[in-house]
Amino acid sequence: MNSKECAPKDGLTPESESRRRFVTLSSITTASLALGIPGEATSSEGTSLYSPHEGANTAPLRIGMLLPDSQAYPPLGDELMKGAQVYASWAQGANLHIMPVVYGNRPSQAESAAADLLASSTVDVLAGFVCANAAAQWEPMLARYGVPLLVGDAGANALAPTARTPWVVRNSLGYWQTAWATGRWAAKALGPRAIVAVGPADSAFDQIPAFERGFASAGGRVQDLLFTAAPDGTSRLEALAQKVRQTRPDFVYVLASGPDARAFRQFWNASYTASQVPLVAAGMLGEEMAGAALAASQVWAARTHAGTSALDTLASAILPTPFHLLGFEMAQRMHAAAIHGGAQAHGLVLAKAMAQAALQTPRGEVRIDPTTGETLAPIHVQGLHRGPERAAIPLPVAGATACQGLCDVLGSRALGTYLAT
């Protein structure tokens, strides 16, 4: 199987108007930003964590922000920018000058937009929701201009071992790690027999194979793998419900996004099948289910932002979606690097500082594994059926050892960046 997250070249010429179209910045009310992250924090390893109260930039950090014009999730670019704005408005002394540019929705368009921006503007760092594996091929361009790239993405795929470069740093939501950890948890907590269903737009990425491998590693076996819809959009949910009734699995694991997620939530909430078998909702479907009033009584959501602490619960009102949170963390990581890199914070020095920064964020401690380049952050399975407490169970993160085994075999044939198309 191809080890790349997405095709780095798609042969399409990007539209200049789309590449250069600037995002309208929305004002943020700073009075609502009382998140209360402590100024002195310590990681589980006993090292200092960065929080926004440590210091300030001595000079402006000029950021070129590459945002997709997403059809799968239209608010994506706006939510990333708003999250970054929240951080820039809230952090003490942050001097972040963000230049947002919408590039389209294909990896080649992102690369062309980056090249245009570097040639026409002076920036210290690029950041964007782009294909992390394809972006590794930008290394000659980034080195020529001396500008590193911070990729922020959902983490739907593992970072390919051949796609690592010191010029590109990745801060992801860890969706593939969440799938792997959820598989291991589900085999032990719910049972070893599962039906897996996936929306067509989500099927080409690493989340399903990561779940299957995690599930199998804990003694589980996937009985059937079905689609929630046909390629033409025709629903296959009745066929899924029939399969569940016939085979009586221990649970159903479903991954979907966009219209597929909304359609599934509506169907499951009204289906008799929902009362017969537990559901584990993953990816954007987990967010869809968590944000809705559910009639179904046995629903779990695999999430990275699950309201597990007072800080996270408060932050949820300000950073309500995973992509608000991701934009916040991207700005926080760049700010941390600018502070700790000091006067030499440019080029590879800035890239190294971004990679080494350990952050205290609304979802907890977020760091980057120095061996694999993967983001290490809290993961939870949240019970949506237990009343107002909405209990969340923390799961082990797939660290370097697990990733080294998985990343070599995972690798999709996806033709675009997850949720950017």
Side-chain angles (χ1 to χ4, degrees):
M1 183 175 286
N2 192 337
S3 64
K4 294 187 181 299
E5 177 183 74
C6 52
K9 301 287 184 181
D10 54 27
L12 297 181
T13 302
E15 294 294 331
S16 177
E17 181 179 356
S18 175
R19 289 203 309 265
R20 295 182 176 278
R21 178 158 48 90
F22 284 78
V23 178
T24 302
L25 303 185
S26 301
S27 61
I28 302 295
T29 305
T30 57
S32 68
L33 304 184
L35 299 182
I37 288 178
E40 296 295 331
T42 304
S43 77
S44 57
E45 300 176 357
T47 57
S48 294
L49 288 172
Y50 170 80
S51 81
H53 302 304
E54 284 192 16
N57 309 27
T58 57
L61 185 67
R62 298 162 297 190
I63 301 166
M65 188 75 127
L66 303 171
L67 304 171
D69 185 12
S70 172
Q71 303 302 308
Y73 187 72
L76 179 54
D78 187 54
E79 289 179 1
L80 287 167
M81 270 305 302
K82 286 181 178 178
Q85 286 176 282
V86 166
Y87 178 83
S89 298
W90 166 57
Q92 291 183 357
N95 196 358
L96 308 181
H97 291 192
I98 304 175
M99 180 186 300
V101 178
V102 175
Y103 63 78
N105 54 36
R106 297 181 180 273
S108 64
Q109 291 175 312
E111 183 177 7
S112 295
D116 286 354
L117 189 58
L118 291 173
S120 62
S121 304
T122 301
V123 296
D124 301 302
V125 58
L126 291 175
F129 195 94
V130 300
C131 173
N133 288 331
Q137 299 188 29
W138 302 7
E139 181 177 23
M141 174 179 66
L142 299 172
R144 183 167 67 253
Y145 287 97
V147 175
L149 168 69
L150 175 63
V151 171
D153 68 353
N157 286 339
L159 188 62
T162 57
R164 296 173 193 152
T165 164
W167 285 97
V168 180
V169 178
R170 186 191 198 189
N171 190 117
S172 83
L173 293 174
Y175 276 17
W176 81 260
Q177 294 108 312
T178 302
W180 179 85
T182 302
R184 288 184 58 81
W185 168 83
K188 300 172 184 177
L190 302 178
R193 300 177 304 113
I195 287 179
V196 173
V198 60
D202 296 71
S203 62
F205 298 89
D206 281 344
Q207 295 176 82
I208 291 297
F211 171 83
E212 291 175 328
R213 289 180 177 274
F215 191 49
S217 72
R221 181 178 65 86
V222 174
Q223 296 180 175
D224 290 284
L225 176 63
L226 299 90
F227 283 98
T228 61
D232 64 1
T234 303
S235 174
R236 291 182 175 175
L237 294 176
E238 287 290 355
L240 170 62
Q242 182 178 2
K243 178 66 71 172
V244 170
R245 292 192 295 269
Q246 290 172 346
T247 62
R248 290 292 190 174
D250 293 314
F251 68 98
V252 179
Y253 177 87
V254 184
L255 177 68
S257 60
D260 290 329
R262 291 189 291 274
F264 182 87
R265 189 255 302 166
Q266 293 168 0
F267 174 84
W268 197 258
N269 209 26
S271 173
Y272 171 75
T273 307
S275 66
Q276 306 301 301
V277 63
L279 168 70
V280 179
M284 295 302 291
L285 178 61
E287 303 302 322
E288 180 78 25
M289 302 297 278
L294 300 178
S297 60
Q298 305 177 75
V299 181
W300 299 87
R303 307 181 71 198
T304 59
H305 189 197
T308 56
S309 68
L311 170 61
D312 192 21
T313 302
L314 181 59
S316 295
I318 303 164
L319 307 169
T321 75
F323 301 107
H324 286 111
L325 173 65
L326 182 62
F328 181 97
E329 287 183 359
M330 291 169 71
Q332 185 176 357
R333 185 166 296 281
M334 289 183 285
H335 183 209
I339 292 172
H340 294 296
Q344 302 301 315
H346 55 81
L348 282 178
V349 173
L350 184 59
K352 184 177 180 180
M354 287 194 296
Q356 292 181 340
L359 309 179
Q360 184 67 26
T361 85
R363 60 172 165 160
E365 179 183 330
V366 179
R367 60 175 63 245
I368 294 173
D369 190 289
T371 303
T372 65
E374 293 285 1
T375 304
L376 303 179
I379 295 170
H380 303 92
V381 169
Q382 184 177 3
L384 306 183
H385 54 283
R386 295 189 176 182
E389 69 271 28
R390 300 168 75 86
I393 300 172
L395 303 181
V397 178
T401 301
C403 182
Q404 284 177 331
L406 283 168
C407 293
D408 289 339
V409 295
L410 295 179
S412 74
R413 296 187 175 95
L415 299 180
T417 310
Y418 181 64
L419 294 180
T421 55

